[in-house]
Short mmCIF file of all heavy atoms in Angstrom, two decimals:
data_model
loop_
_atom_site.label_atom_id
_atom_site.label_comp_id
_atom_site.label_asym_id
_atom_site.label_seq_id
_atom_site.Cartn_x
_atom_site.Cartn_y
_atom_site.Cartn_z
N ILE K 184 21.01 15.14 -12.99
CA ILE K 184 19.69 14.53 -12.84
C ILE K 184 19.27 14.06 -14.22
O ILE K 184 19.47 14.78 -15.21
CB ILE K 184 18.69 15.52 -12.21
CG1 ILE K 184 17.36 14.82 -11.93
CG2 ILE K 184 18.50 16.77 -13.05
CD1 ILE K 184 16.45 15.62 -11.00
N MET K 185 18.74 12.85 -14.33
CA MET K 185 18.65 12.25 -15.65
C MET K 185 17.37 11.47 -15.90
O MET K 185 16.84 10.81 -15.01
CB MET K 185 19.85 11.34 -15.93
CG MET K 185 20.31 10.51 -14.75
SD MET K 185 21.38 11.46 -13.63
CE MET K 185 21.90 10.22 -12.47
N ALA K 186 16.91 11.58 -17.15
CA ALA K 186 15.80 10.77 -17.64
C ALA K 186 16.40 9.64 -18.46
O ALA K 186 16.87 9.85 -19.58
CB ALA K 186 14.86 11.61 -18.49
N ILE K 187 16.41 8.43 -17.89
CA ILE K 187 17.01 7.27 -18.55
C ILE K 187 15.89 6.43 -19.17
O ILE K 187 14.93 6.06 -18.48
CB ILE K 187 17.82 6.42 -17.54
CG1 ILE K 187 18.86 7.28 -16.84
CG2 ILE K 187 18.44 5.23 -18.25
CD1 ILE K 187 19.86 7.94 -17.77
N LEU K 199 10.57 4.76 -19.10
CA LEU K 199 11.41 5.69 -18.36
C LEU K 199 11.74 5.10 -17.00
O LEU K 199 10.87 4.54 -16.32
CB LEU K 199 10.67 7.02 -18.17
CG LEU K 199 11.40 8.12 -17.40
CD1 LEU K 199 12.59 8.64 -18.19
CD2 LEU K 199 10.44 9.27 -17.07
N LEU K 200 13.00 5.23 -16.58
CA LEU K 200 13.46 4.69 -15.30
C LEU K 200 13.22 5.70 -14.19
O LEU K 200 13.71 6.83 -14.24
CB LEU K 200 14.94 4.35 -15.38
CG LEU K 200 15.60 3.77 -14.13
CD1 LEU K 200 15.00 2.41 -13.78
CD2 LEU K 200 17.11 3.66 -14.33
N LEU K 201 12.47 5.30 -13.15
CA LEU K 201 12.24 6.13 -11.97
C LEU K 201 12.58 5.32 -10.73
O LEU K 201 12.42 4.09 -10.71
CB LEU K 201 10.78 6.59 -11.89
CG LEU K 201 10.25 7.43 -13.05
CD1 LEU K 201 8.77 7.76 -12.82
CD2 LEU K 201 11.05 8.72 -13.23
N GLY K 202 13.01 6.00 -9.69
CA GLY K 202 13.36 5.32 -8.45
C GLY K 202 12.77 6.01 -7.24
O GLY K 202 12.24 7.12 -7.33
N TRP K 207 10.41 8.16 1.50
CA TRP K 207 9.39 8.90 0.77
C TRP K 207 8.01 8.28 1.01
O TRP K 207 7.89 7.07 1.23
CB TRP K 207 9.68 8.89 -0.72
CG TRP K 207 10.91 9.66 -1.11
CD1 TRP K 207 11.68 10.45 -0.30
CD2 TRP K 207 11.51 9.70 -2.40
NE1 TRP K 207 12.71 10.98 -1.01
CE2 TRP K 207 12.64 10.54 -2.30
CE3 TRP K 207 11.21 9.12 -3.63
CZ2 TRP K 207 13.46 10.81 -3.40
CZ3 TRP K 207 12.02 9.38 -4.72
CH2 TRP K 207 13.13 10.22 -4.60
N TYR K 212 7.87 8.61 -6.76
CA TYR K 212 9.02 8.22 -7.57
C TYR K 212 9.60 9.45 -8.26
O TYR K 212 8.90 10.45 -8.46
CB TYR K 212 8.63 7.19 -8.64
CG TYR K 212 8.48 5.79 -8.10
CD1 TYR K 212 7.33 5.41 -7.40
CD2 TYR K 212 9.48 4.84 -8.29
CE1 TYR K 212 7.20 4.12 -6.90
CE2 TYR K 212 9.36 3.54 -7.79
CZ TYR K 212 8.21 3.19 -7.11
OH TYR K 212 8.08 1.91 -6.60
N SER K 213 10.87 9.36 -8.61
CA SER K 213 11.54 10.49 -9.25
C SER K 213 12.60 9.98 -10.21
O SER K 213 13.00 8.81 -10.17
CB SER K 213 12.18 11.39 -8.19
OG SER K 213 12.87 12.48 -8.80
N THR K 214 13.07 10.89 -11.06
CA THR K 214 14.24 10.60 -11.87
C THR K 214 15.45 10.45 -10.95
O THR K 214 15.47 10.99 -9.85
CB THR K 214 14.49 11.73 -12.88
OG1 THR K 214 14.49 12.98 -12.18
CG2 THR K 214 13.41 11.76 -13.94
N LEU K 215 16.47 9.75 -11.39
CA LEU K 215 17.67 9.56 -10.59
C LEU K 215 18.54 10.81 -10.63
O LEU K 215 18.50 11.58 -11.60
CB LEU K 215 18.47 8.36 -11.10
CG LEU K 215 17.71 7.03 -11.26
CD1 LEU K 215 18.68 5.93 -11.62
CD2 LEU K 215 16.93 6.69 -10.01
N ALA K 216 19.36 11.00 -9.60
CA ALA K 216 20.21 12.18 -9.50
C ALA K 216 21.40 11.87 -8.61
O ALA K 216 21.37 10.93 -7.81
CB ALA K 216 19.43 13.38 -8.98
N GLU K 236 23.16 3.12 -8.36
CA GLU K 236 21.88 3.06 -7.66
C GLU K 236 20.96 1.97 -8.18
O GLU K 236 20.15 1.43 -7.41
CB GLU K 236 21.18 4.43 -7.76
CG GLU K 236 21.93 5.54 -7.04
CD GLU K 236 21.20 6.86 -7.08
OE1 GLU K 236 20.14 6.94 -7.77
OE2 GLU K 236 21.67 7.82 -6.45
N MET K 278 18.90 3.90 -3.03
CA MET K 278 17.68 3.62 -3.77
C MET K 278 17.10 2.29 -3.29
O MET K 278 17.78 1.28 -3.26
CB MET K 278 18.00 3.54 -5.27
CG MET K 278 16.81 3.60 -6.18
SD MET K 278 15.99 5.22 -6.14
CE MET K 278 17.36 6.32 -6.54
N LEU K 300 4.65 12.10 -8.88
CA LEU K 300 5.88 12.62 -9.47
C LEU K 300 6.32 13.91 -8.80
O LEU K 300 5.55 14.55 -8.08
CB LEU K 300 5.66 12.86 -10.97
CG LEU K 300 5.29 11.62 -11.78
CD1 LEU K 300 4.88 12.01 -13.20
CD2 LEU K 300 6.47 10.64 -11.82
N PRO K 301 7.57 14.33 -9.02
CA PRO K 301 8.06 15.58 -8.42
C PRO K 301 7.23 16.78 -8.84
O PRO K 301 6.48 16.74 -9.82
CB PRO K 301 9.49 15.68 -8.95
CG PRO K 301 9.88 14.27 -9.25
CD PRO K 301 8.63 13.61 -9.74
N ILE K 306 13.24 20.48 -12.19
CA ILE K 306 13.77 19.99 -13.45
C ILE K 306 13.44 18.51 -13.62
O ILE K 306 13.32 18.02 -14.75
CB ILE K 306 15.29 20.25 -13.55
CG1 ILE K 306 15.79 19.99 -14.98
CG2 ILE K 306 16.06 19.43 -12.53
CD1 ILE K 306 17.20 20.43 -15.22
N SER K 307 13.25 17.79 -12.52
CA SER K 307 12.85 16.38 -12.62
C SER K 307 11.50 16.27 -13.31
O SER K 307 11.31 15.43 -14.20
CB SER K 307 12.78 15.76 -11.22
OG SER K 307 12.38 14.41 -11.31
N ARG K 308 10.56 17.11 -12.92
CA ARG K 308 9.24 17.08 -13.56
C ARG K 308 9.36 17.43 -15.05
O ARG K 308 8.70 16.82 -15.89
CB ARG K 308 8.32 18.09 -12.86
CG ARG K 308 6.90 18.14 -13.40
CD ARG K 308 6.14 16.86 -13.09
NE ARG K 308 4.73 16.94 -13.40
CZ ARG K 308 3.77 16.51 -12.59
NH1 ARG K 308 4.07 15.97 -11.43
NH2 ARG K 308 2.51 16.60 -12.93
N LEU K 310 11.92 16.90 -17.00
CA LEU K 310 12.49 15.75 -17.70
C LEU K 310 11.43 14.69 -17.97
O LEU K 310 11.37 14.12 -19.07
CB LEU K 310 13.63 15.15 -16.86
CG LEU K 310 14.97 15.87 -16.89
CD1 LEU K 310 15.85 15.43 -15.72
CD2 LEU K 310 15.69 15.61 -18.21
N VAL K 311 10.61 14.42 -16.97
CA VAL K 311 9.57 13.39 -17.11
C VAL K 311 8.56 13.80 -18.18
O VAL K 311 8.23 13.01 -19.09
CB VAL K 311 8.86 13.13 -15.77
CG1 VAL K 311 7.64 12.22 -15.98
CG2 VAL K 311 9.82 12.50 -14.77
N TRP K 323 4.29 16.08 -5.94
CA TRP K 323 4.62 16.07 -4.53
C TRP K 323 4.07 17.32 -3.85
O TRP K 323 4.15 18.42 -4.40
CB TRP K 323 6.13 16.04 -4.34
CG TRP K 323 6.80 14.83 -4.90
CD1 TRP K 323 6.20 13.80 -5.60
CD2 TRP K 323 8.19 14.51 -4.86
NE1 TRP K 323 7.15 12.87 -5.98
CE2 TRP K 323 8.38 13.29 -5.54
CE3 TRP K 323 9.30 15.16 -4.30
CZ2 TRP K 323 9.62 12.70 -5.68
CZ3 TRP K 323 10.54 14.56 -4.45
CH2 TRP K 323 10.70 13.35 -5.13
#
Side-chain angles (χ1 to χ4, degrees):
I184 186 165
M185 39 278 186
I187 305 301
L199 179 69
L200 180 64
L201 300 178
W207 292 353
Y212 281 78
S213 178
T214 51
L215 307 187
E236 295 183 354
M278 195 68 55
L300 299 171
I306 191 170
S307 180
R308 181 68 171 225
L310 282 163
V311 171
W323 298 3

